[in-house]
Amino acid sequence: MAKVRSPTTAVPVRNAFREQQWQEAHERYLVCARTVFERLGYHGATVADIVVAANGSRATFYAHFRDKADIAACLFERTLPSGTAMYHRVVEFPELNREIVRAWLDEQVLGFWSRHRVEVEAVNHAMAADPAVAARHYQWIVDAVRLAGWPGTGVPTGLTRASLLVLQLERLCYHWLVRGVEHDRDQLLDILADLWFRELTVLGEDRP
């Protein structure tokens, strides 16, 4: 006699397949949005351009994203795990000194913001257009700092101090590496190293 399968046993398989389809479509739109933003700029790009690049439909786009600002925000969100991992390396320093901080800023932090200049530019324009995206962005920074686990960030004042430090760096990188404002790299790294070494030292002293 053939084994009778419970009606519920196939549901997880179907749900898993649908979830995979949803994730693949979501990722495809994000990849295509990055290409479109890089080619046309945030203001020049339209939802229609992204839909065409993804070989999709407007209905599918709006099933995943609210609008152009939302997909720009989601595109920036894709960078957050690697950004959090980068900031977490601070707690892995063999010791906290200015030279180690400067090397980390030079080799990892500035490289990160350069690699993700398309995402940074898109989300900055999206924040200007949509207050909800701006609120999400600030929360991303706070969450990244919290997950990085820096000493002193377990209390509100330390978390705020560290979040402002990251926000300040991000604004600098936006104007310098994305918008093209000229700076002497070595001079700027020296200033950043002084600032970050001092602030990280203060955070370490304020640990609960």
Side-chain angles (χ1 to χ4, degrees):
M1 180 181 293
K3 183 177 179 181
V4 177
R5 177 174 302 195
S6 168
T8 62
T9 57
V11 173
V13 176
R14 288 201 301 267
N15 288 345
F17 178 67
R18 289 171 182 167
E19 176 65 18
Q20 181 181 353
Q21 285 185 312
W22 192 94
Q23 291 292 346
E24 289 174 353
H26 194 81
E27 182 66 15
R28 184 172 71 254
Y29 276 102
L30 288 172
V31 170
C32 291
R34 189 186 192 282
T35 300
V36 171
F37 288 146
E38 185 173 27
R39 178 167 54 90
L40 301 177
Y42 179 83
H43 291 297
T46 65
V47 169
D49 293 322
I50 297 170
V51 168
V52 170
N55 194 28
S57 68
R58 294 180 72 90
T60 303
F61 177 91
Y62 286 113
H64 288 261
F65 309 101
R66 186 180 68 251
D67 50 24
K68 185 172 72 170
D70 186 41
I71 196 171
C74 291
L75 188 62
F76 184 78
E77 282 180 324
R78 293 166 81 238
T79 72
L80 297 180
S82 56
T84 298
M86 173 186 69
Y87 288 124
H88 180 69
R89 291 191 177 95
V90 168
V91 302
E92 300 171 347
F93 290 166
E95 62 177 303
L96 182 61
N97 63 48
R98 183 185 177 280
E99 289 68 31
I100 289 176
V101 171
R102 190 185 190 281
W104 171 72
L105 288 164
D106 187 16
E107 298 165 9
Q108 298 185 40
V109 178
L110 297 187
F112 172 85
W113 291 111
S114 294
R115 287 193 302 276
H116 297 296
R117 59 183 306 277
V118 174
E119 292 87 346
V120 172
E121 183 166 29
V123 80
N124 272 271
H125 287 305
M127 283 192 288
D130 188 338
V133 174
R136 285 166 66 184
H137 176 266
Y138 184 81
Q139 191 59 49
W140 295 330
I141 298 298
V142 174
D143 290 344
V145 170
R146 184 183 291 112
L147 292 171
W150 295 350
T153 56
V155 296
T157 53
L159 183 62
T160 299
R161 179 185 292 272
S163 298
L164 293 177
L165 189 62
V166 173
L167 281 166
Q168 180 188 58
L169 176 64
E170 185 193 13
R171 297 311 299 164
L172 168 65
C173 289
Y174 171 69
H175 289 289
W176 179 26
L177 302 174
V178 177
R179 303 302 297 174
V181 176
E182 293 187 6
H183 288 285
D184 181 286
R185 184 184 181 92
D186 285 335
Q187 182 184 68
L188 201 56
L189 276 167
D190 286 338
I191 294 171
L192 284 172
D194 290 339
L195 174 65
W196 275 72
F197 173 63
R198 181 176 69 247
E199 291 301 310
L200 289 172
T201 299
V202 171
L203 284 170
E205 294 170 349
D206 287 345
R207 74 176 66 196

